[in-house]
Amino acid sequence: MTEVAHHAKPVSERTLFGHPIGLANLFGVELWERFSFYGMVTILGYYLYYSTADGGLGLEKTTATGIVGAYGGLVYLSTVLGGWIADRVLGSERTVFYGGVVVMAGHIALAVLPGLTGVGVGLVLVALGSGALKANASSLLGTLYRKDDPRADGGFTLFYLGINLGAFAGPLLTGLLQDHVGFHYGFGAAAIGMALGLTQYVVFRRNLGDHGRDVPNPLPRTAIPKSIAAVVVFGVLVAVAALTGLLTLSNLPNATTGLIVVASIAYFTIMLTSSKVEPTERTRVRAFIPLFIANAVFWSLFQQIFTVLAVYSDERIDWTVFGWTAPSNWIGSMEPVWIIALSPLFAIMWTRLGNRAPSTPHKFAFGVLGMGAAFMLFAIFSGSDGKSVPILFVFAVLAGFAISELLLSPIGLAVTTKLAPNAFRAQMMALYFFSVGIGTSMSGVLSKFYDPSRELAYFGITGLVAVVVGFGVLAIAPWVTRHMEGVH
């Protein structure tokens, strides 16, 4: 590990464990942002469908899980706005900071505003802020490494460890607060977490040096009025759709999925036809398309932790361990335990293997295959009734989720920064998150088909589809590798 890192980096570069010192700052801010996000989203579904007597809003269960999936999709859809602001107005570094401020404001709104008003205002702000922060934190990390730097996969895996430390701790704390003092205290804890992340980011901002300060494709002053008008028109169209009944809470996940798919096609078209994209860069964008599709399929299953598996946790899992019963809302913290344990091992493995590691398309294929196989395991208890699924069994299945995630997600972040055209650096990362958004909103669409009486069909079919897609990616992996034009 030391030999590879020494060979790859300039002598003058400040490092921490062989990686650029700026990784530590981005690791910290992403940890706290994910603490706040997953802490909030883990209890959001329960808040929406629990009865008013239990502190909730009393919505239909399928509507509630659909909203959670659609909301997650909208978070990732908003990454395009964050990427556009970074590439054309502020640069990645400042966009990360301002995104964090908006996230914090959203959690405060959820904590203090009552009913659906608080949900609407809070979720819109968190979605916009997270979109700005997520795409740009990952893109900014990519600028710390050269395109041929073998440390990049290891660095992104360590960055992913920070994400999962936050994803582990957030639901534990908000879940306990929900159980003992109420939902709004859980949302308040999420706001405090984001405030801590922003403080850390400001204090250690100098570690990033000049990275992310440039604006790759500055917006001309004459184009500013048109840009503002486009945002206003979009807002008006959404408002009209909601007021006329065209857009409702029940069809929100379908509408979100469709919108992200259309936006993704538009973005691929723009990049493949732009005069600012070189021929080699254009070939790399084409290679990204199969990875984009595989990623969407993966996340459509994984994100059901917060939709179908949240309900499954509440109604089917026996949370009793050695005579003690844990809160069912801790379902969101279990998979990150495996990520935290395995991330350092994967980081060491990728760093030591260097260019001898499996190709990116092969890693993607194995990740999708593993996710499908793990999801199918839930069908084992399909004939049982009530809270009869042992929590230790679920914990073991989620190890499969974690291994699959480590094979695909941090690798996806790393390869996106490598395949990105220079003029669309942050926006390419936003496009990556579009695939996550499609999968996340699809988790809400799919949740409408889940019923405890049909678990064998539900988990069996959805898992099998992912396995088939995984084998498809495996078959075309050589083609993808060739079109990545030297990127590994």
Side-chain angles (χ1 to χ4, degrees), residues 304 308-309 311-313 315-317 375-389 393 449-463:
Q304 291 188 49
V308 168
L309 294 184
V311 176
Y312 189 84
S313 174
E315 299 179 351
R316 300 282 285 115
I317 297 177
F375 207 72
M376 291 169 73
L377 290 175
F378 282 109
I380 291 174
F381 285 88
S382 60
S384 61
D385 297 320
K387 295 187 176 183
S388 56
V389 182
F393 166 79
F449 298 98
Y450 170 74
D451 188 285
S453 65
R454 298 194 299 269
E455 284 180 353
L456 178 61
Y458 184 81
F459 291 120
I461 293 172
T462 49

Side-chain angles (χ1 to χ4, degrees), residues 5 42 56-57 179 231 297 379 482:
T42 301
L57 301 183
D179 275 2
V231 173
V297 172
R482 285 197 306 272

Side-chain angles (χ1 to χ4, degrees), residues 1-85:
M1 179 177 178
T2 305
E3 182 181 351
V4 173
H6 176 75
H7 174 74
K9 68 181 189 298
V11 175
S12 61
E13 181 187 31
R14 291 179 62 207
T15 63
L16 182 67
F17 302 118
H19 289 274
I21 189 72
L23 170 62
N25 196 17
L26 296 171
F27 176 99
V29 72
E30 188 73 358
L31 184 156
W32 286 110
E33 190 273 334
R34 293 290 89 181
F35 171 94
S36 67
F37 177 83
Y38 283 113
M40 178 273 288
V41 81
T42 301
I43 64 174
L44 176 62
Y46 300 128
Y47 178 58
L48 293 172
Y49 79 74
Y50 274 19
S51 68
T52 52
D54 292 327
L57 301 183
L59 298 181
E60 287 289 331
K61 196 171 295 179
T62 54
T63 300
T65 55
I67 290 172
V68 173
Y71 161 68
L74 290 170
V75 167
Y76 294 109
L77 177 62
S78 69
T79 57
V80 71
L81 179 59
W84 184 87
I85 290 172

Side-chain angles (χ1 to χ4, degrees), residues 438-481:
I438 291 170
T440 304
S441 57
M442 275 299 298
S443 76
V445 173
L446 292 171
S447 71
K448 295 180 181 295
F449 298 98
Y450 170 74
D451 188 285
S453 65
R454 298 194 299 269
E455 284 180 353
L456 178 61
Y458 184 81
F459 291 120
I461 293 172
T462 49
L464 182 61
V465 169
V467 168
V468 171
V469 171
F471 277 118
V473 176
L474 203 58
I476 64 169
W479 179 90
V480 176
T481 302

Side-chain angles (χ1 to χ4, degrees), residues 40-406:
M40 178 273 288
V41 81
T42 301
I43 64 174
L44 176 62
Y46 300 128
Y47 178 58
L48 293 172
Y49 79 74
Y50 274 19
S51 68
T52 52
D54 292 327
L57 301 183
L59 298 181
E60 287 289 331
K61 196 171 295 179
T62 54
T63 300
T65 55
I67 290 172
V68 173
Y71 161 68
L74 290 170
V75 167
Y76 294 109
L77 177 62
S78 69
T79 57
V80 71
L81 179 59
W84 184 87
I85 290 172
D87 280 345
R88 310 217 63 185
V89 182
L90 295 175
S92 294
E93 197 275 336
R94 283 184 291 175
T95 307
V96 167
F97 173 75
Y98 291 120
V101 172
V102 176
V103 167
M104 184 175 66
H107 289 303
I108 292 172
L110 278 165
V112 301
L113 296 177
L116 284 174
T117 300
V119 172
V121 174
L123 294 189
V124 167
L125 290 175
V126 175
L128 291 173
S130 291
L133 193 152
K134 276 198 69 62
N136 289 291
S138 303
S139 178
L140 189 53
L141 178 58
T143 67
L144 303 181
Y145 298 92
R146 297 195 311 267
K147 286 186 181 293
D148 61 347
D149 193 334
R151 297 175 301 163
D153 279 2
F156 272 90
T157 302
L158 290 173
F159 179 69
Y160 215 69
L161 172 61
I163 290 174
N164 282 277
L165 284 170
F168 166 72
L172 288 182
L173 180 58
T174 58
L176 286 172
L177 289 170
Q178 173 211 316
D179 275 2
H180 294 287
V181 290
F183 285 101
H184 290 285
Y185 286 90
F187 297 140
I192 293 171
M194 191 65 251
L196 291 171
L198 283 171
T199 302
Q200 170 261 313
Y201 185 73
V202 170
V203 170
F204 297 104
R205 214 168 182 176
R206 64 185 181 279
N207 287 341
L208 294 169
D210 293 330
H211 292 282
R213 295 293 179 93
D214 64 308
V215 181
N217 186 17
L219 182 71
R221 289 187 178 275
T222 54
I224 293 176
K226 291 181 181 178
S227 302
I228 295 173
V231 173
V232 171
V233 168
F234 179 76
V236 169
L237 289 174
V238 172
V240 170
L243 291 172
T244 58
L246 188 63
L247 182 65
T248 64
L249 291 178
S250 60
N251 71 15
L252 187 60
N254 302 70
T256 303
T257 304
L259 179 60
I260 304 175
V261 168
V262 171
S264 300
I265 293 171
Y267 243 101
F268 272 115
T269 302
I270 290 170
M271 287 190 190
L272 289 170
T273 57
S274 173
S275 60
K276 296 181 179 179
V277 177
E278 300 294 329
T280 299
E281 293 178 326
R282 194 171 291 116
T283 301
R284 288 172 176 166
V285 172
R286 291 193 191 99
F288 184 67
I289 295 174
L291 304 181
F292 179 97
I293 295 170
N295 204 45
V297 172
F298 172 89
W299 289 105
S300 68
L301 270 63
F302 182 91
Q303 294 289 55
Q304 291 188 49
I305 290 175
F306 306 105
T307 57
V308 168
L309 294 184
V311 176
Y312 189 84
S313 174
D314 206 29
E315 299 179 351
R316 300 282 285 115
I317 297 177
D318 178 4
W319 278 87
T320 303
V321 182
F322 304 121
W324 177 71
T325 303
S328 60
N329 49 35
W330 280 9
I331 183 70
S333 286
M334 289 201 300
E335 194 264 354
V337 171
W338 289 108
I339 296 290
I340 293 165
L342 297 173
S343 285
L345 301 179
F346 271 76
I348 292 169
M349 179 174 67
W350 297 143
T351 303
R352 286 189 172 175
L353 286 173
N355 292 333
R356 293 179 291 114
S359 69
T360 293
H362 281 96
K363 290 174 184 174
F364 264 69
F366 296 144
V368 177
L369 282 167
M371 187 67 224
F375 207 72
M376 291 169 73
L377 290 175
F378 282 109
I380 291 174
F381 285 88
S382 60
S384 61
D385 297 320
K387 295 187 176 183
S388 56
V389 182
I391 185 56
L392 293 180
F393 166 79
V394 176
F395 186 61
V397 171
L398 291 177
F401 279 43
I403 293 170
S404 302
E405 184 181 2
L406 286 168

